[in-house]
Amino acid sequence: MTQRSTACTLLFHGKERESQWRDAFRVQAPNVKLHVWPNWDPEYRAEFALVWQPPRGELARQPSLKAIFSIGAGIDHLASDPDLPPGVPLVRMVDPTLTAGMSEFVVMSVLHHHRGMTIYAQQQRESRWQVCDPVPASRRSVGVMGAGVLGRDALAKLRPFGFELRAWGRSAREIPGAAHFHGESRLDAFLSGLDILVCLLPLTGKTTGILCKRTFSLLADGAAVISVGRGEHLVENDLIDALESGKVRAATLDVFREEPLPETHPFWRHPGVVVTPHIASMTSPHTAVAGILDQIDAYHAGRPFLHAVDMVRGY
Ligand code: NDP
Ligand code: OXD
């Protein structure tokens, strides 16, 4: 990795792996003066901030911010801060390592459900040797809600398996190898008879609670649901009811309304549910810092930020 001459002041409030972020800046851009929370000097004036979920109001104290870079691809927790400094661009994370990691997780989870692995896991617990009829991928439909950076990469990586692929987004677009549906009016057509549903939407007022009874009712009987966007997309009791009735046979849940998922939550023990602790993918400090430096250099050269959040749309 080449060293850059980028110079600026940057506030950092991370989620984890703080030393890796510090090292990435030190190695790639030694002239970036990093101030790491909670040791923020109140007198310090930052030009940029790189944050996961800073204490509410903390960024509002900074009068010279040119941009706020989010460590996560999802910015719902930042956008909902009423004290977010108005007019300062909020830039979401687009990082090649994050994208590749999400596609790995989605492909793994789709194949897990396609091959009936929750059934075999249950049979193993019961020492039961029983073969289920295999279904070829060509007879399985997989739909991804959210045809953005992550959804499109996941679809491209699912393509070689031969599933019938569908995508759903807000605006019209062409997606190689997948039928794309857009807008609320096409949601039912997208969902109709789907065998495996993946949610990779951002959390907004329009997508909250979208994984609900009505959505599940349109899927194929015995469908699988993979929830990797945000916990608030899912109406938890509706999924539990759908699992109990068999409408949904299995689910992989990586994100939850309450994280960490409380120990007593029924999802932990449900035989049809795979629970993971919001690890479907993670931003890599190494590659993300390179991207942030590109953005800061572009700003200094008078170019706009890429991936700035549209605060009206909410993503
Ligand atoms: P993008 O902004 O690139 O894509 C968002 C997609 O959702 C777009 O296709 C957009 O449509 C679509 N969309 C937004 N609102 C609606 C709506 N109301 N109706 C239909 N479609 C809609 O986001 P990313 O792909 O980068 O990330 C998606 C989400 O994944 C993040 O917001 C985050 O919550 C989650 N995530 C989870 C991680 C994990 O570890 N579990 C890790 C990283 C991200 P259009 O194309 O028309 O704009
Ligand atoms: C997220 C992320 O948005 O980890 O969840 O990037």
Side-chain angles (χ1 to χ4, degrees):
M1 184 75 59
T2 50
Q3 205 171 75
R4 320 261 287 248
S5 58
T6 316
C8 66
T9 48
L10 187 142
L11 284 180
F12 178 82
H13 181 277
K15 183 183 179 191
E16 64 228 332
R17 296 180 295 162
E18 185 184 302
S19 63
Q20 290 183 34
W21 285 99
R22 283 180 187 271
D23 284 351
F25 276 107
R26 188 177 43 73
V27 169
Q28 296 181 46
N31 297 329
V32 172
K33 289 205 191 69
L34 213 59
H35 276 238
V36 178
W37 198 87
N39 301 317
W40 286 1
D41 172 354
E43 297 307 313
Y44 173 78
R45 291 288 170 260
E47 294 165 275
F48 299 97
L50 172 60
V51 295
W52 171 251
Q53 193 162 11
R56 295 212 155 194
E58 203 62 49
L59 295 172
R61 291 179 212 275
Q62 287 292 330
S64 312
L65 282 180
K66 312 286 183 249
I68 299 164
F69 297 110
S70 165
I71 288 179
I75 49 74
D76 41 284
H77 50 294
L78 284 168
S80 62
D81 179 352
D83 294 325
L84 199 70
V88 178
L90 173 60
V91 180
R92 54 189 215 86
M93 180 56 66
V94 174
D95 164 44
T97 313
L98 181 73
T99 304
M102 181 57 81
S103 293
E104 284 172 12
F105 191 90
V106 170
V107 169
M108 172 186 74
S109 303
V110 166
L111 293 178
H112 179 93
H113 294 299
H114 167 55
R115 297 300 304 263
M117 290 307 292
T118 41
I119 299 171
Y120 291 119
Q122 180 60 27
Q123 289 185 185
Q124 182 172 351
R125 283 190 286 273
E126 296 164 3
S127 311
R128 191 150 53 91
W129 182 279
Q130 190 178 321
V131 175
C132 304
D133 255 354
V135 175
S138 58
R139 287 195 9 235
R140 199 77 94 179
S141 53
V142 179
V144 178
M145 301 175 105
V149 172
L150 301 180
R152 289 200 303 275
D153 193 72
L155 284 160
K157 288 175 180 157
L158 283 166
R159 203 174 163 191
F161 293 99
F163 296 111
E164 182 222 314
L165 295 177
R166 299 181 206 170
W168 184 66
R170 214 174 50 93
S171 44
R173 58 169 84 240
E174 291 285 311
I175 299 187
H180 185 253
F181 300 73
H182 72 277
E184 279 169 39
S185 63
R186 299 290 288 148
L187 178 59
D188 290 8
F190 160 80
L191 292 169
S192 177
L194 264 186
D195 295 306
I196 301 178
L197 174 65
V198 180
C199 181
L200 253 175
L201 287 164
L203 184 67
T204 68
K206 289 208 181 291
T207 65
T208 300
I210 198 161
L211 298 178
C212 61
K213 182 177 178 173
R214 183 175 186 284
T215 293
F216 302 143
S217 73
L218 293 167
L219 304 177
D221 289 340
V225 173
I226 299 168
S227 173
V228 277
R230 281 291 179 267
E232 290 86 344
H233 288 139
L234 178 64
V235 181
E236 295 186 347
N237 284 335
D238 286 2
L239 179 63
I240 290 172
D241 289 349
L243 284 161
E244 292 314 313
S245 72
K247 179 68 196 175
V248 171
R249 181 174 45 81
T252 295
L253 308 177
D254 181 61
V255 286
F256 302 90
R257 286 176 180 258
E258 188 179 346
E259 295 183 5
L261 185 66
E263 269 177 44
T264 52
H265 200 290
F267 285 152
W268 281 117
R269 274 161 286 279
H270 198 291
V273 177
V274 176
V275 168
T276 50
H278 199 145
I279 49 73
S281 194
M282 280 189 236
T283 302
S284 150
H286 189 64
T287 46
V289 164
I292 290 162
L293 295 173
D294 285 345
Q295 296 255 39
I296 294 174
D297 288 350
Y299 171 79
H300 286 145
R303 294 196 296 276
F305 294 108
L306 300 176
H307 317 300
V309 174
D310 176 333
M311 297 303 272
V312 176
R313 264 182 358 186
Y315 70 99

